[in-house]
Amino acid sequence: MAEAGTSPLASKEAEAEIARIDALSTRLTTSCGHASSMAWRRWGSGPHLVLIHGGAGSWMHWIRNIEALAANHTVWAPDIPGFGDSDLPAEGLDADTLYP
């Protein structure tokens, strides 16, 4: 069911666009602690550019910019631990415990 104010068609179009941009990426994972992994997506080639989303969300925060930036750069978009496709951080590690 679509959210209030959006049509089912708009929602399907958004899902299709997310899937299209995602399909253009190379997906990688890196170790993030003892038993956790962090998900990354990469597009394009050229000088490296890392896009880091805010305190919530995922690589999709950058979805409208990725293709334009990837025309001249290698674009890296991680999902920070606990968000998107990345694993949760180790127990007891979160923003509140890192900066007491």
Side-chain angles (χ1 to χ4, degrees):
M1 177 175 231
E3 293 181 34
T6 63
S7 73
L9 180 58
S11 180
K12 292 289 185 193
E13 290 172 353
E15 289 175 18
E17 182 64 1
I18 292 167
R20 185 183 73 78
I21 299 293
D22 191 23
L24 295 173
S25 75
T26 299
R27 290 176 157 201
L28 304 126
T29 58
T30 58
S31 176
C32 185
H34 294 291
S36 299
S37 65
M38 187 165 156
W40 295 76
R41 285 174 175 78
R42 182 184 68 212
W43 297 264
S45 62
H48 295 272
L49 177 63
V50 179
L51 305 175
I52 301 174
H53 62 82
S58 70
W59 69 273
M60 288 186 281
H61 281 211
W62 306 104
I63 199 161
R64 293 182 179 176
N65 307 103
I66 289 169
E67 286 186 291
L69 293 170
N72 296 304
H73 294 84
T74 300
V75 176
W76 294 88
D79 286 339
I80 60 175
F83 298 96
D85 292 330
S86 290
D87 293 335
L88 291 171
E91 188 173 333
L93 291 178
D94 59 27
D96 293 331
T97 60
L98 291 173
Y99 302 102

